């Protein structure tokens, strides 16, 4: 399935450098409509205001982790169907399992490149 490059994407990370890296990778892939949030609370607020085609969130954030954000997104009817990709530096099996149980569409371990991101987005949006 082809992914619409004009779909709005929300990047959630408390580390601005990582937000910039993901934005640049998305731009390489043709995605221009990219917003960002520095934590889960800001992300939820943005998601209530705008319909996103995809959320790419870091796992390790304060005060709300990416995992907690994912759980909250899945529990809110209006945004529960939004494709969600979790990004983390840790490839702990229990984290992957917890995220899968909470309804994550895909999982990326840092570092990653544009090609990896592209395949994860295609898989997440095809689900």
């Amino acid at each position: 399935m082809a992914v619409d490059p004009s779909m709005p994407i929300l990047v959630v990370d408390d580390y601005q450098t990582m937000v910039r890296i993901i934005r640049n990778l998305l731009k390489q892939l043709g995605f221009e409509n990219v917003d960002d949030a520095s934590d889960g609370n800001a992300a939820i607020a943005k998601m209530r205001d705008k319909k996103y085609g995809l959320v790419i969130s870091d796992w390790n954030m304060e005060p709300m982790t990416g995992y907690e954000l994912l759980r909250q997104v899945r529990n809110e009817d209006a945004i529960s169907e939004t494709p969600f990709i979790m990004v983390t530096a840790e490839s702990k099996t229990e984290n992957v399992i917890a995220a899968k149980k909470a309804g994550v569409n895909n999982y990326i371990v840092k570092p990653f490149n544009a090609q990896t991101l592209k395949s994860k987005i295609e898989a997440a949006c095809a689900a």
Side-chain angles (χ1 to χ4, degrees), residues 75-124:
N75 284 327
E76 284 197 31
D77 289 345
I79 56 177
S80 66
E81 298 296 315
T82 309
F84 199 107
I85 296 177
M86 189 75 73
V87 178
T88 183
E90 302 163 33
S91 55
K92 288 186 194 152
T93 310
E94 60 268 25
N95 285 9
V96 176
I97 292 168
K100 282 280 184 207
K101 280 186 180 162
V104 79
N105 295 88
N106 224 317
Y107 205 87
I108 304 179
V109 179
K110 297 176 199 172
F112 57 91
N113 59 24
Q115 200 49 52
T116 301
L117 183 59
K118 181 177 194 268
S119 65
K120 298 285 185 174
I121 291 171
E122 286 171 350

Side-chain angles (χ1 to χ4, degrees), residues 12-93:
V12 189
D13 201 312
D14 55 356
Y15 189 49
Q16 270 314 113
T17 303
M18 198 62 211
V19 169
R20 232 179 358 261
I21 290 167
I22 294 174
R23 261 185 188 279
N24 288 338
L25 291 173
L26 288 167
K27 196 171 197 157
Q28 285 174 36
L29 298 173
F31 296 100
E32 299 282 344
N33 190 354
V34 181
D35 291 341
D36 62 81
S38 59
D39 64 57
N41 293 320
I44 287 288
K46 287 190 176 202
M47 291 182 76
R48 286 176 181 150
D49 284 347
K50 181 175 177 179
K51 178 140 178 59
Y52 288 96
L54 176 67
V55 173
I56 301 173
S57 175
D58 187 35
W59 180 290
N60 296 309
M61 296 184 295
E62 295 289 331
M64 183 192 289
T65 66
Y67 176 69
E68 291 164 339
L69 170 62
L70 170 64
R71 290 184 53 171
Q72 190 162 341
V73 166
R74 292 297 178 244
N75 284 327
E76 284 197 31
D77 289 345
I79 56 177
S80 66
E81 298 296 315
T82 309
F84 199 107
I85 296 177
M86 189 75 73
V87 178
T88 183
E90 302 163 33
S91 55
K92 288 186 194 152
T93 310

